[in-house]
Amino acid sequence: MLVSLQPRAEKVPHRDLAPLAAIARELRYLPRTEFRAALKSDLQRRTTMPMNERTESTATAPAKAVHYMRPGFTSITPYIIVNGASQFIEFLKNAFAGTERLRVPLPDGKLMHAEVAIGNGVIETAEANEQIPSSPTDIHLYVDDADATFDRALQAGATAIYRPTSDHPSGDRWGALRDRFGNRWYIATPKRWSLDSSGALPSVQPYLHVRGAHKMIPFMEAAFGAEAMGVHKSPEGIVMHATMRIGNATLEIDEAHGEYQPKPCHLHIFVPDADAMYAQALRAGATSVEPPNDKPYGDRSAGVRDPFGNTWYLNTCLGNRGERLQRTTTGL
């Protein structure tokens, strides 16, 4: 019997799995065994999934326009309440090349509501008051050039926490800074995934540091139908990082530690049925902030607070609300 001595041809991973395979090869030599184990599990899960499910479940799938969502929005938008909303908007413009979409002033000149687009995402903001105090938020911001964005943010008045580095376990080039309004920004350029105008990777992702992150994951699944895209735990079971998907957008969570402590924040999510999602969230353990009601600007809206102190606004867009919003706030 003749035995071929030629080496077997190496199997080429499917193009959808090639980026993950590349990460896995590089992680072989890193000391974080729990991270490698989690990644290996994620790879195995994806290889056994049907191709249509594999495509739909990836966080890099292009965002799709849906009828219940306002144009230009994704399913998850951070709503940052600050002291000095007008100055905050200028910071977003100067630091992150933000584009102001909407500004609704009150009679005293303070801002009732404003929207600033950054990349393929949006940040909403409003002036803090006695009823709703400021709520600093942590944001993971994906950009084309982390170093240039970082320097521009410093020039706009932010303070460096650490400069962008390529040593981050994710493989991304990653830095962190803090603005004068108390928000922390994780600035990253993705090395494994493309960032383009189709929404392949959400530019704006809220990052929640939670006490009891292992409980936050099942709560989000039960309350909002969220999907855990990847959960990485320490050997002791502590959630080191998790990406949670709702609709066509994601947010990130981990266990609060060191200086990274909980910051109860406001999150705006668009859902197909605000009434049904409100009832579902209450059954999952949330408390009511505002029952479902029709807003004069054209949304069906409700509010709940999760067991971790974060407030979620559940909205279903019922139609074009731009002109109605202006008329509502100006009295025209």
Side-chain angles (χ1 to χ4, degrees):
M1 178 182 295
L2 296 178
V3 179
S4 174
L5 298 179
Q6 293 183 349
R8 295 181 180 178
E10 182 179 356
K11 292 184 178 180
V12 179
H14 187 276
R15 58 185 176 84
D16 287 345
L17 300 177
L20 281 173
I23 297 174
R25 284 194 296 270
E26 293 189 14
L27 286 176
R28 284 183 302 175
Y29 305 105
L30 291 179
R32 297 182 61 183
T33 56
E34 69 277 4
F35 189 86
R36 296 202 306 269
L39 181 59
K40 180 179 179 181
S41 175
D42 197 32
L43 274 168
Q44 291 173 339
R45 179 180 65 85
R46 295 195 182 200
T47 57
T48 58
M49 291 171 61
M51 186 57 62
N52 62 330
E53 293 182 16
R54 188 184 306 165
T55 302
E56 292 174 0
S57 68
T58 175
T60 60
K64 298 179 180 179
V66 287
H67 69 280
Y68 59 82
M69 195 178 302
R70 295 180 194 167
F73 278 78
T74 60
S75 297
I76 306 173
T77 300
Y79 205 125
I80 305 178
I81 311 299
V82 298
N83 292 307
S86 294
Q87 292 78 15
F88 180 55
I89 291 174
E90 293 308 308
F91 170 77
L92 296 178
K93 292 179 181 178
N94 296 329
F96 307 128
T99 301
E100 187 174 331
R101 290 165 42 102
L102 180 66
R103 181 187 292 241
V104 183
L106 292 168
D108 63 2
K110 294 182 179 180
L111 290 185
M112 173 183 175
H113 175 79
E115 300 168 4
V116 178
I118 300 177
N120 56 32
V122 174
I123 288 178
E124 296 178 287
T125 188
E127 189 73 32
N129 55 49
E130 293 182 0
Q131 290 73 35
I132 307 178
S134 63
S135 57
T137 304
D138 289 356
I139 301 292
H140 191 171
L141 190 65
Y142 277 109
V143 297
D144 291 325
D145 188 332
D147 293 84
T149 300
F150 191 91
D151 290 336
R152 192 164 58 242
L154 293 181
Q155 294 173 2
T159 302
I161 299 174
Y162 55 86
R163 290 199 59 84
T165 174
S166 297
D167 295 333
H168 194 269
S170 67
D172 296 343
R173 188 157 182 80
W174 180 305
L177 47 80
R178 184 179 289 104
D179 65 33
R180 70 180 184 88
F181 306 93
N183 306 295
R184 187 159 39 209
W185 300 84
Y186 306 115
I187 311 299
T189 297
K191 295 296 184 182
R192 309 300 176 188
W193 312 102
S194 62
L195 181 62
D196 59 36
S197 59
S198 70
L201 190 66
S203 301
V204 178
Q205 297 192 63
Y207 201 124
L208 309 184
H209 304 290
V210 182
R211 288 195 186 95
H214 65 289
K215 296 180 180 179
M216 179 67 156
I217 294 171
F219 167 79
M220 289 184 61
E221 292 172 335
F224 310 122
E227 176 190 2
M229 301 298 299
V231 180
H232 305 304
K233 295 183 179 181
S234 71
E236 297 76 24
I238 297 173
V239 176
M240 300 171 62
H241 181 268
T243 299
M244 304 297 294
R245 178 174 178 172
I246 299 175
N248 65 3
T250 55
L251 60 77
E252 298 168 84
I253 67 172
D254 67 11
E255 184 68 28
H257 60 285
E259 66 174 295
Y260 302 98
Q261 293 301 311
K263 292 181 178 179
C265 63
H266 300 265
L267 298 167
H268 185 180
I269 62 175
F270 281 100
V271 297
D273 187 333
D275 293 74
M277 190 65 73
Y278 172 81
Q280 181 173 315
L282 295 186
R283 289 194 298 270
T287 57
S288 177
V289 173
E290 181 183 27
N293 63 97
D294 290 335
K295 297 297 185 182
Y297 47 82
D299 283 5
R300 180 75 173 168
S301 179
V304 299
R305 184 166 292 116
D306 66 32
F308 309 90
N310 306 293
T311 302
W312 301 74
Y313 303 106
L314 317 175
N315 276 44
T316 301
C317 183
L318 303 179
N320 188 343
R321 97 304 185 207
E323 184 177 348
R324 279 179 287 179
L325 179 57
Q326 293 290 355
R327 288 180 177 178
T328 299
T329 55
T330 59
L332 297 178

